Amino acid sequence: MSEKSKYFVIKEKAVPEVLAKVVEAKRLLDSKKGMTVQEATEQVGISRSSFYKYKDDIFPFHENARGKTITFIIQMDDEPGLLSEVLQAIAENHGNILTIHQSIPINGIASLTLSVDILPNRGDAEAMVDDIEACQGVHYLKILGRE
């Protein structure tokens, strides 16, 4: 019986240093033609064995999110125009809203659940999350799931 893969989305500050360096080495290999794994790992300060051990298991969020559906929950102020600003951030990063549900605000805070399709070859989930979190009045954003 094969074991099903489980995926986790974690913030960069929680990623062990070796894994962050594996991602950096992969970026170097992709950006510099002719660079060897040995050169990339030496440049970022990890062993080749660490690179090979983790290279297929760690990648930037945006790399694996294109062409996928992501569900977010957002807590935000109940302010005119804020929902429009959040939706604009999604559109600017080539996301297509599939579902949207906003609760009745309690104490001036609304909860919003969104399912967003990240368009293949165009969408940028990482920038989308950054842009939504940067909206004045957004207090909390959590990624609930990814399909």
Side-chain angles (χ1 to χ4, degrees):
M1 181 180 264
S2 67
E3 188 177 310
K4 188 175 179 178
S5 295
K6 289 185 179 183
Y7 295 91
F8 300 91
V9 176
I10 59 174
K11 292 186 178 186
E12 184 177 15
K13 68 181 180 182
V15 175
E17 184 178 6
V18 67
L19 296 179
K21 288 182 176 188
V22 168
V23 170
E24 179 62 16
K26 288 171 61 174
R27 188 194 62 75
L28 286 171
L29 289 166
D30 288 343
S31 66
K32 296 185 178 180
K33 292 188 189 288
M35 179 176 261
T36 66
V37 170
Q38 181 68 39
E39 292 168 333
T41 56
E42 283 177 1
Q43 191 167 335
V44 299
I46 59 172
S47 67
R48 282 183 35 222
S49 63
S50 292
F51 176 81
Y52 285 114
K53 180 177 181 179
Y54 298 116
K55 74 176 182 65
D56 295 327
D57 296 322
I58 182 86
F59 44 84
F61 172 68
H62 63 85
E63 234 176 62
N64 201 38
R66 290 189 174 119
K68 304 286 184 182
T69 300
I70 299 173
T71 302
F72 302 102
I73 188 165
I74 302 169
Q75 288 183 339
M76 58 190 205
D77 290 335
D78 181 30
E79 295 288 332
L82 182 54
L83 177 57
S84 177
E85 191 177 336
V86 168
L87 299 178
Q88 184 63 36
I90 292 167
E92 287 173 354
N93 289 287
H94 303 286
N96 183 37
I97 296 169
L98 302 173
T99 64
I100 183 170
H101 178 267
Q102 182 174 339
S103 69
I104 295 172
I106 299 173
N107 296 327
I109 302 293
S111 291
L112 179 69
T113 305
L114 289 166
S115 291
V116 178
D117 186 31
I118 308 298
L119 299 179
N121 303 319
R122 293 181 56 200
D124 189 340
E126 185 175 24
M128 181 185 302
V129 169
D130 290 345
D131 289 351
I132 293 169
E133 289 181 325
C135 293
Q136 188 75 23
V138 170
H139 299 282
Y140 172 82
L141 182 146
K142 181 178 180 182
I143 298 168
L144 293 178
R146 185 180 65 88
E147 294 180 25

